[in-house]
Short mmCIF file of all heavy atoms in Angstrom, two decimals:
data_model
loop_
_atom_site.label_atom_id
_atom_site.label_comp_id
_atom_site.label_asym_id
_atom_site.label_seq_id
_atom_site.Cartn_x
_atom_site.Cartn_y
_atom_site.Cartn_z
N ARG B 25 -4.69 -28.45 -1.80
CA ARG B 25 -4.18 -29.47 -0.90
C ARG B 25 -4.00 -28.99 0.53
O ARG B 25 -3.66 -27.83 0.77
CB ARG B 25 -2.91 -30.00 -1.47
CG ARG B 25 -3.19 -30.72 -2.71
CD ARG B 25 -1.86 -31.28 -3.40
NE ARG B 25 -2.37 -31.84 -4.75
CZ ARG B 25 -1.51 -32.30 -5.52
NH1 ARG B 25 -0.18 -32.14 -5.39
NH2 ARG B 25 -1.99 -32.81 -6.73
N VAL B 26 -4.26 -29.82 1.47
CA VAL B 26 -4.12 -29.47 2.83
C VAL B 26 -2.66 -29.79 3.32
O VAL B 26 -2.32 -30.97 3.55
CB VAL B 26 -5.03 -30.21 3.74
CG1 VAL B 26 -4.90 -29.91 5.27
CG2 VAL B 26 -6.53 -30.03 3.42
N THR B 27 -1.81 -28.83 3.33
CA THR B 27 -0.49 -28.99 3.66
C THR B 27 0.00 -28.45 4.96
O THR B 27 -0.78 -27.66 5.55
CB THR B 27 0.37 -28.28 2.59
OG1 THR B 27 0.27 -26.97 2.62
CG2 THR B 27 0.05 -28.81 1.15
N LYS B 28 1.09 -28.90 5.47
CA LYS B 28 1.59 -28.40 6.71
C LYS B 28 1.81 -26.96 6.73
O LYS B 28 1.47 -26.25 7.65
CB LYS B 28 2.96 -29.00 6.98
CG LYS B 28 2.89 -30.41 7.72
CD LYS B 28 4.31 -30.87 8.01
CE LYS B 28 4.69 -32.14 7.29
NZ LYS B 28 6.07 -32.65 7.51
N PRO B 47 2.68 -10.74 7.13
CA PRO B 47 3.22 -11.94 6.65
C PRO B 47 4.43 -12.24 7.41
O PRO B 47 4.69 -13.30 7.81
CB PRO B 47 3.40 -11.70 5.17
CG PRO B 47 2.42 -10.67 4.79
CD PRO B 47 2.26 -9.84 5.97
N THR B 65 7.92 -16.94 1.51
CA THR B 65 7.25 -16.95 0.17
C THR B 65 5.97 -17.80 0.23
O THR B 65 5.00 -17.33 -0.25
CB THR B 65 8.05 -17.63 -0.85
OG1 THR B 65 9.47 -16.94 -0.87
CG2 THR B 65 7.55 -17.55 -2.23
N TYR B 68 3.22 -15.86 2.01
CA TYR B 68 2.50 -14.94 1.02
C TYR B 68 1.56 -15.63 0.17
O TYR B 68 0.41 -15.29 -0.07
CB TYR B 68 3.53 -14.21 0.25
CG TYR B 68 4.17 -13.04 0.85
CD1 TYR B 68 5.37 -12.97 1.35
CD2 TYR B 68 3.41 -11.78 0.82
CE1 TYR B 68 5.87 -11.83 1.94
CE2 TYR B 68 3.91 -10.59 1.48
CZ TYR B 68 5.07 -10.67 1.97
OH TYR B 68 5.67 -9.50 2.53
N ARG B 69 2.07 -16.76 -0.44
CA ARG B 69 1.14 -17.51 -1.29
C ARG B 69 -0.06 -18.01 -0.54
O ARG B 69 -1.15 -18.00 -1.15
CB ARG B 69 1.87 -18.67 -2.00
CG ARG B 69 2.89 -18.17 -3.12
CD ARG B 69 3.50 -19.29 -3.92
NE ARG B 69 4.67 -19.72 -3.47
CZ ARG B 69 5.82 -19.90 -4.10
NH1 ARG B 69 5.90 -19.59 -5.41
NH2 ARG B 69 6.94 -20.32 -3.54
N ALA B 89 3.59 -2.81 5.72
CA ALA B 89 3.37 -4.19 5.18
C ALA B 89 1.78 -4.38 5.39
O ALA B 89 1.13 -3.87 6.33
CB ALA B 89 4.09 -5.24 5.85
N ALA B 90 1.24 -5.11 4.52
CA ALA B 90 -0.15 -5.41 4.57
C ALA B 90 -0.35 -6.35 5.89
O ALA B 90 0.53 -6.90 6.46
CB ALA B 90 -0.59 -6.26 3.40
P DA D 14 9.12 -4.61 5.17
OP1 DA D 14 8.20 -4.33 6.24
OP2 DA D 14 10.12 -5.75 5.28
"O5'" DA D 14 8.32 -4.76 3.86
"C5'" DA D 14 7.37 -3.85 3.37
"C4'" DA D 14 6.61 -4.30 2.15
"O4'" DA D 14 7.53 -4.41 1.15
"C3'" DA D 14 5.98 -5.63 2.30
"O3'" DA D 14 4.69 -5.52 1.78
"C2'" DA D 14 6.83 -6.53 1.66
"C1'" DA D 14 7.48 -5.70 0.53
N9 DA D 14 8.81 -6.00 0.17
C8 DA D 14 9.84 -6.33 0.83
N7 DA D 14 10.99 -6.61 0.22
C5 DA D 14 10.58 -6.38 -1.07
C6 DA D 14 11.36 -6.51 -2.30
N6 DA D 14 12.57 -6.88 -2.39
N1 DA D 14 10.63 -6.23 -3.50
C2 DA D 14 9.40 -5.92 -3.41
N3 DA D 14 8.51 -5.79 -2.36
C4 DA D 14 9.31 -6.13 -1.13
P DT D 15 3.67 -6.84 1.83
OP1 DT D 15 2.37 -6.26 1.82
OP2 DT D 15 4.09 -7.66 2.89
"O5'" DT D 15 3.97 -7.45 0.48
"C5'" DT D 15 3.56 -6.76 -0.75
"C4'" DT D 15 4.17 -7.55 -1.88
"O4'" DT D 15 5.58 -7.53 -1.90
"C3'" DT D 15 3.56 -8.90 -2.05
"O3'" DT D 15 2.78 -8.97 -3.32
"C2'" DT D 15 4.84 -9.78 -2.23
"C1'" DT D 15 5.96 -8.78 -2.62
N1 DT D 15 7.29 -9.06 -2.23
C2 DT D 15 8.27 -9.23 -3.32
O2 DT D 15 7.95 -8.94 -4.46
N3 DT D 15 9.43 -9.58 -2.92
C4 DT D 15 9.93 -9.85 -1.65
O4 DT D 15 11.06 -10.08 -1.44
C5 DT D 15 8.95 -9.68 -0.62
C7 DT D 15 9.21 -9.94 0.91
C6 DT D 15 7.64 -9.35 -1.00
P DT D 16 2.13 -10.29 -3.87
OP1 DT D 16 0.81 -9.87 -4.56
OP2 DT D 16 2.33 -11.37 -2.80
"O5'" DT D 16 3.19 -10.55 -5.03
"C5'" DT D 16 3.70 -9.48 -5.90
"C4'" DT D 16 4.45 -10.09 -6.97
"O4'" DT D 16 5.85 -10.32 -6.51
"C3'" DT D 16 4.11 -11.39 -7.66
"O3'" DT D 16 4.23 -11.29 -8.99
"C2'" DT D 16 4.98 -12.51 -7.09
"C1'" DT D 16 6.24 -11.67 -6.77
N1 DT D 16 7.22 -12.14 -5.65
C2 DT D 16 8.52 -12.34 -5.94
O2 DT D 16 9.05 -12.21 -7.02
N3 DT D 16 9.24 -12.70 -4.89
C4 DT D 16 8.77 -12.82 -3.59
O4 DT D 16 9.52 -13.24 -2.64
C5 DT D 16 7.34 -12.55 -3.38
C7 DT D 16 6.76 -12.82 -1.96
C6 DT D 16 6.65 -12.21 -4.48
P DT D 17 3.69 -12.41 -9.96
OP1 DT D 17 3.12 -11.75 -11.12
OP2 DT D 17 2.86 -13.44 -9.34
"O5'" DT D 17 4.93 -13.09 -10.53
"C5'" DT D 17 6.13 -12.32 -10.92
"C4'" DT D 17 7.22 -13.27 -11.29
"O4'" DT D 17 8.07 -13.56 -10.02
"C3'" DT D 17 6.88 -14.61 -11.87
"O3'" DT D 17 7.81 -14.85 -13.05
"C2'" DT D 17 7.11 -15.54 -10.78
"C1'" DT D 17 8.29 -14.99 -9.98
N1 DT D 17 8.32 -15.36 -8.64
C2 DT D 17 9.58 -15.46 -8.01
O2 DT D 17 10.68 -15.36 -8.72
N3 DT D 17 9.62 -15.68 -6.73
C4 DT D 17 8.56 -15.85 -5.84
O4 DT D 17 8.71 -16.19 -4.74
C5 DT D 17 7.24 -15.64 -6.45
C7 DT D 17 5.99 -15.73 -5.59
C6 DT D 17 7.30 -15.42 -7.74
P DG D 18 7.52 -15.89 -14.02
OP1 DG D 18 7.10 -15.23 -15.27
OP2 DG D 18 6.52 -16.87 -13.41
"O5'" DG D 18 8.82 -16.73 -14.15
"C5'" DG D 18 10.16 -16.14 -13.61
"C4'" DG D 18 11.26 -17.13 -13.65
"O4'" DG D 18 11.46 -17.53 -12.35
"C3'" DG D 18 10.96 -18.47 -14.42
"O3'" DG D 18 12.12 -19.01 -14.90
"C2'" DG D 18 10.26 -19.34 -13.36
"C1'" DG D 18 11.06 -18.93 -12.04
N9 DG D 18 10.38 -18.86 -10.77
C8 DG D 18 9.18 -18.51 -10.58
N7 DG D 18 8.69 -18.62 -9.29
C5 DG D 18 9.83 -18.94 -8.68
C6 DG D 18 10.15 -19.28 -7.24
O6 DG D 18 9.31 -19.12 -6.39
N1 DG D 18 11.38 -19.64 -7.06
C2 DG D 18 12.43 -19.67 -8.00
N2 DG D 18 13.62 -20.05 -7.50
N3 DG D 18 12.15 -19.50 -9.32
C4 DG D 18 10.86 -19.23 -9.57
P DC D 19 12.17 -20.29 -15.83
OP1 DC D 19 13.12 -20.07 -16.81
OP2 DC D 19 10.81 -20.71 -16.25
"O5'" DC D 19 12.68 -21.44 -14.91
"C5'" DC D 19 13.81 -21.16 -13.94
"C4'" DC D 19 14.00 -22.29 -13.05
"O4'" DC D 19 13.22 -22.03 -11.81
"C3'" DC D 19 13.56 -23.60 -13.50
"O3'" DC D 19 14.47 -24.56 -13.15
"C2'" DC D 19 12.19 -23.84 -12.85
"C1'" DC D 19 12.52 -23.24 -11.40
N1 DC D 19 11.42 -22.82 -10.65
C2 DC D 19 11.45 -22.81 -9.24
O2 DC D 19 12.45 -23.16 -8.70
N3 DC D 19 10.36 -22.56 -8.44
C4 DC D 19 9.22 -22.26 -9.13
N4 DC D 19 8.15 -21.94 -8.34
C5 DC D 19 9.03 -22.19 -10.45
C6 DC D 19 10.15 -22.55 -11.24
P DG D 22 14.06 -33.36 -3.32
OP1 DG D 22 14.81 -33.48 -2.15
OP2 DG D 22 13.95 -34.39 -4.33
"O5'" DG D 22 12.53 -32.98 -2.82
"C5'" DG D 22 12.30 -31.89 -1.96
"C4'" DG D 22 10.87 -31.93 -1.46
"O4'" DG D 22 9.93 -31.67 -2.52
"C3'" DG D 22 10.40 -33.22 -1.03
"O3'" DG D 22 9.50 -33.04 0.09
"C2'" DG D 22 9.70 -33.85 -2.16
"C1'" DG D 22 9.14 -32.67 -2.77
N9 DG D 22 8.83 -32.68 -4.22
C8 DG D 22 9.66 -33.16 -5.15
N7 DG D 22 9.16 -33.05 -6.36
C5 DG D 22 7.87 -32.44 -6.15
C6 DG D 22 6.93 -32.11 -7.05
O6 DG D 22 6.98 -32.16 -8.30
N1 DG D 22 5.76 -31.51 -6.45
C2 DG D 22 5.71 -31.24 -5.04
N2 DG D 22 4.63 -30.79 -4.57
N3 DG D 22 6.61 -31.67 -4.26
C4 DG D 22 7.71 -32.32 -4.86
P DC D 23 9.14 -34.15 1.25
OP1 DC D 23 9.75 -33.64 2.53
OP2 DC D 23 9.54 -35.49 0.67
"O5'" DC D 23 7.67 -33.98 1.41
"C5'" DC D 23 7.01 -32.70 1.25
"C4'" DC D 23 5.61 -32.79 0.73
"O4'" DC D 23 5.69 -32.98 -0.72
"C3'" DC D 23 4.79 -33.97 1.30
"O3'" DC D 23 3.58 -33.46 1.64
"C2'" DC D 23 4.74 -35.01 0.16
"C1'" DC D 23 4.68 -34.01 -1.06
N1 DC D 23 5.31 -34.52 -2.31
C2 DC D 23 4.53 -34.36 -3.50
O2 DC D 23 3.58 -33.71 -3.47
N3 DC D 23 5.14 -34.83 -4.65
C4 DC D 23 6.23 -35.59 -4.63
N4 DC D 23 6.64 -36.17 -5.86
C5 DC D 23 6.95 -35.89 -3.47
C6 DC D 23 6.43 -35.33 -2.36
P DA D 24 2.55 -34.21 2.61
OP1 DA D 24 2.43 -33.56 3.98
OP2 DA D 24 3.08 -35.71 2.71
"O5'" DA D 24 1.25 -34.09 1.85
"C5'" DA D 24 0.72 -32.80 1.57
"C4'" DA D 24 -0.41 -32.86 0.58
"O4'" DA D 24 0.06 -33.43 -0.65
"C3'" DA D 24 -1.54 -33.81 1.04
"O3'" DA D 24 -2.76 -33.18 0.62
"C2'" DA D 24 -1.34 -35.11 0.28
"C1'" DA D 24 -0.49 -34.64 -0.93
N9 DA D 24 0.51 -35.41 -1.45
C8 DA D 24 1.46 -36.13 -0.81
N7 DA D 24 2.27 -36.80 -1.60
C5 DA D 24 1.89 -36.57 -2.82
C6 DA D 24 2.35 -36.98 -4.17
N6 DA D 24 3.44 -37.78 -4.21
N1 DA D 24 1.64 -36.65 -5.22
C2 DA D 24 0.60 -35.74 -4.96
N3 DA D 24 0.08 -35.28 -3.94
C4 DA D 24 0.76 -35.75 -2.89
P DC D 25 -4.13 -33.77 0.97
OP1 DC D 25 -5.17 -32.72 1.13
OP2 DC D 25 -3.93 -34.65 2.03
"O5'" DC D 25 -4.48 -34.69 -0.29
"C5'" DC D 25 -4.80 -34.09 -1.56
"C4'" DC D 25 -4.85 -34.94 -2.65
"O4'" DC D 25 -3.61 -35.51 -2.85
"C3'" DC D 25 -5.88 -36.13 -2.46
"O3'" DC D 25 -7.04 -35.87 -3.15
"C2'" DC D 25 -5.16 -37.32 -3.08
"C1'" DC D 25 -3.76 -36.74 -3.44
N1 DC D 25 -2.64 -37.59 -3.17
C2 DC D 25 -1.84 -38.23 -4.16
O2 DC D 25 -2.18 -37.99 -5.45
N3 DC D 25 -0.83 -39.01 -3.94
C4 DC D 25 -0.49 -39.18 -2.68
N4 DC D 25 0.64 -39.89 -2.46
C5 DC D 25 -1.13 -38.60 -1.61
C6 DC D 25 -2.25 -37.84 -1.81
#
Side-chain angles (χ1 to χ4, degrees):
Chain B
R25 294 176 181 173
V26 178
T27 66
K28 273 186 246 180
T65 307
Y68 274 102
R69 285 192 269 232

